[in-house]
Amino acid sequence: HRDLHSFPTRRSSDLVLSWPSSSVSFLLEYSTNLGNPANWQTNSSAQTVIGGQVYVTNSTAGPSTFFQLKTH
């Protein structure tokens, strides 16, 4: 088992999430609340692969949003 490291960065009003493309196939999910149970939904933002990293850009406008990577 190896650890997966994701890399969130902020670009103006966007949040860019990235993780290694060589990792097991992951699905990015989001929820606007972490209640019990959280209502996780598939993130529909386009994924781009550059230099061995998967990048997904999400707007920071709107409510607080939580993200998780789930094995696919």
Side-chain angles (χ1 to χ4, degrees), residues 15-65:
L15 174 67
V16 179
L17 301 172
S18 66
W19 59 92
S21 63
S22 60
S23 300
V24 176
S25 180
F26 284 98
L27 180 65
L28 181 63
E29 296 183 328
Y30 74 94
S31 179
T32 55
N33 120 38
L34 294 178
N36 189 11
N39 183 23
W40 293 105
Q41 309 226 355
T42 300
N43 187 312
S44 60
S45 298
Q47 295 184 358
T48 304
V49 178
I50 301 171
Q53 290 285 114
V54 178
Y55 293 90
V56 178
T57 302
N58 296 280
S59 174
T60 57
S64 294
T65 305

